[in-house]
Amino acid sequence: MRPQDLSAALLELDASHRRRQRATLETPQGVDVVIDGEEYVSFASNDYLGLADHPALVRAIQEGVDRWGVGSGSSHLVSGHSLAHQQAEEALARFVGREAALLFGSGYAANLAVITSLVGRGDAVFADRLNHASLNDACLLSRAEFRRFHHNDLEQLEHMLQTTPAKTRLIAVDAVFSMDGDEAPLRELLALAERYDAWLYVDDAHGFGVLGGGRGAIAELDSRAERLVCMATLGKAAGLAGAFVAGSQTVIDWLINNARTYIYTTAQPPALAAAIPVSLRLIAEGDERRERLRELTAQCQMRLVGTKYVGAASRTPIQAFIIGDDEATLALAARLREQGFWVPAIRPPTVPENSARLRLSLSARHEPSQLAAVLDLLPAD
Ligand SMILES: Cc1ncc(COP(=O)(O)O)c(C=O)c1O
């Protein structure tokens, strides 16, 4: 795009109700928030367990800053890999039951790292159509043949695996789909990966902390499977920031030697890493929080199922209210805001065309009455 074309392009986004704008949060992340000077009950955060401002995490970071200072000063391979990072990686690997783990500054960087390190030109990558944008970007960047199968369509995936001439294959999925809240059939996917000698790469950004007793959706998989590589973010249920990849020691060693988004970037602040073991303890002790989430999820599904707005069944804190039309979705989100509820309207290209939606994110800190109040404001049929 030439410099002189940008303003017109932005106006076009306005006209098609696709322009994105930021609102400014004036409180810590949570359920009761102030945004642009107004109070809201928020259903817009991925802080599912309500840990983002937990006193124990705040303290851990404060103590981490006292011990480590602020900046890491360098990439991991130069001099930025502190004992805090090392211990966090060991704690993460133990927590998810894998041989080794590797920290990243973000889930986006972790996805780019794994996929571009495991497949390249002449290889093939198979991805669910509803995967997160960062996985799609990683697949494109890898230069492998990039094939997308219909959402959770194992038959189509198997056909692709049967017919590909590529020797090195990788299947990439979200464990919990970020805009729908439904889940990938991980056991069946791992069986396909075994049968067709493929890697299985699972992005558990939204399952970690929530499913599997907090260990994530991947807790149900055989953690010894060499071909299984998992990623989870730490900026959602874990209440922090960053991400980690977990797998065999060999995979992690390969990433350390190959992954450009690992090698050519400054390490996360060590104080943040120092808080990771504390977050893992809170997650492990979080059964009550997860139980509250299950109750809220059931409350939400009861209201949605049977309406024309329901999408896939979701047992996770991501609950989609699918309207279709962009303008109508924005109008409903605006009406909810007038009533004091902050619920994001999600439009294409984040979701497929004609599937604009409200995405309600539940938190263990929501009161059932708060959820009931917002659900009452949604159209009934
Ligand atoms: C499924 C999924 N993967 C990856 C990411 C990227 O993680 P991060 O925000 O840590 O970059 C997100 C969201 O941000 C996500 O929803």
Side-chain angles (χ1 to χ4, degrees), residues 223-292:
S223 63
R224 290 158 308 171
E226 173 97 33
R227 63 184 67 253
L228 171 66
V229 183
C230 305
M231 188 285 285
T233 54
L234 297 167
K236 301 185 196 311
L240 291 168
F244 68 98
V245 173
S248 69
Q249 185 67 56
T250 317
V251 164
I252 298 303
D253 288 345
W254 181 247
L255 294 181
I256 291 171
N257 283 277
N258 260 276
R260 297 173 69 82
T261 58
Y262 186 75
I263 298 170
Y264 299 109
T265 192
T266 301
Q268 272 190 318
L272 203 62
I276 291 172
V278 179
S279 169
L280 295 181
R281 177 173 59 73
L282 294 173
I283 291 173
E285 293 168 354
D287 283 345
E288 266 179 40
R289 289 188 170 89
R290 283 183 286 276
E291 184 52 33
R292 167 58 75 95

Side-chain angles (χ1 to χ4, degrees), residues 53-70:
D53 66 343
H54 192 287
L57 278 191
V58 173
R59 210 173 322 115
I61 299 230
Q62 285 167 340
E63 287 170 6
V65 170
D66 289 344
R67 162 90 165 79
W68 295 101
V70 181

Side-chain angles (χ1 to χ4, degrees), residues 105-109 111 132 134 174 176 178 203 205-206 231 233 235-236 242-243:
S106 74
Y108 193 106
N111 281 342
H132 190 257
S134 57
D174 283 17
V176 173
S178 56
D203 174 339
H206 299 277
M231 188 285 285
T233 54
K236 301 185 196 311

Side-chain angles (χ1 to χ4, degrees), residues 143-290:
R143 299 195 181 89
E145 187 194 359
F146 177 23
R147 303 203 49 197
R148 299 169 86 193
F149 53 92
H150 293 128
H151 181 46
N152 279 346
D153 187 337
L154 295 172
E155 251 177 61
Q156 192 191 15
L157 170 60
E158 180 157 18
H159 181 70
M160 289 177 175
L161 287 163
Q162 269 164 354
T163 51
T164 180
K167 277 212 175 53
T168 304
R169 304 105 184 253
L170 182 144
I171 304 166
V173 290
D174 283 17
V176 173
F177 290 90
S178 56
M179 294 300 139
D180 296 80
D182 63 334
E183 293 157 69
L186 295 182
R187 279 209 204 96
E188 291 81 353
L189 287 165
L190 185 55
L192 279 181
E194 299 280 4
R195 196 170 316 143
Y196 294 97
D197 190 18
W199 292 100
L200 176 61
Y201 181 51
V202 177
D203 174 339
D204 201 15
H206 299 277
F208 186 70
V210 174
L211 300 175
R215 282 164 175 75
I218 50 178
E220 68 179 56
L221 293 178
D222 177 3
S223 63
R224 290 158 308 171
E226 173 97 33
R227 63 184 67 253
L228 171 66
V229 183
C230 305
M231 188 285 285
T233 54
L234 297 167
K236 301 185 196 311
L240 291 168
F244 68 98
V245 173
S248 69
Q249 185 67 56
T250 317
V251 164
I252 298 303
D253 288 345
W254 181 247
L255 294 181
I256 291 171
N257 283 277
N258 260 276
R260 297 173 69 82
T261 58
Y262 186 75
I263 298 170
Y264 299 109
T265 192
T266 301
Q268 272 190 318
L272 203 62
I276 291 172
V278 179
S279 169
L280 295 181
R281 177 173 59 73
L282 294 173
I283 291 173
E285 293 168 354
D287 283 345
E288 266 179 40
R289 289 188 170 89
R290 283 183 286 276

Side-chain angles (χ1 to χ4, degrees), residues 24-198:
T24 305
L25 183 66
E26 296 170 19
T27 49
Q29 191 56 263
V31 162
D32 299 300
V33 294
V34 175
I35 298 176
D36 290 337
E38 301 285 338
E39 290 182 10
Y40 295 98
V41 176
S42 166
F43 287 90
S45 171
N46 302 316
D47 175 27
Y48 304 122
L49 298 179
L51 299 184
D53 66 343
H54 192 287
L57 278 191
V58 173
R59 210 173 322 115
I61 299 230
Q62 285 167 340
E63 287 170 6
V65 170
D66 289 344
R67 162 90 165 79
W68 295 101
V70 181
S72 71
S74 178
S75 67
H76 282 274
L77 294 186
V78 178
S79 67
H81 186 67
S82 69
L83 185 61
H85 294 110
Q86 181 61 32
Q87 288 173 338
E89 288 179 349
E90 288 167 12
L92 286 162
R94 270 195 307 278
F95 191 75
V96 294
R98 305 303 310 266
E99 262 176 35
L102 192 65
L103 277 175
F104 283 85
S106 74
Y108 193 106
N111 281 342
L112 293 190
V114 174
I115 295 184
T116 62
S117 296
L118 296 184
V119 289
R121 226 186 275 282
D123 302 334
V125 55
F126 305 95
D128 190 289
R129 272 201 181 279
L130 295 191
N131 276 353
H132 190 257
S134 57
L135 281 175
N136 292 338
D137 291 357
C139 293
L140 287 171
L141 192 65
S142 75
R143 299 195 181 89
E145 187 194 359
F146 177 23
R147 303 203 49 197
R148 299 169 86 193
F149 53 92
H150 293 128
H151 181 46
N152 279 346
D153 187 337
L154 295 172
E155 251 177 61
Q156 192 191 15
L157 170 60
E158 180 157 18
H159 181 70
M160 289 177 175
L161 287 163
Q162 269 164 354
T163 51
T164 180
K167 277 212 175 53
T168 304
R169 304 105 184 253
L170 182 144
I171 304 166
V173 290
D174 283 17
V176 173
F177 290 90
S178 56
M179 294 300 139
D180 296 80
D182 63 334
E183 293 157 69
L186 295 182
R187 279 209 204 96
E188 291 81 353
L189 287 165
L190 185 55
L192 279 181
E194 299 280 4
R195 196 170 316 143
Y196 294 97
D197 190 18

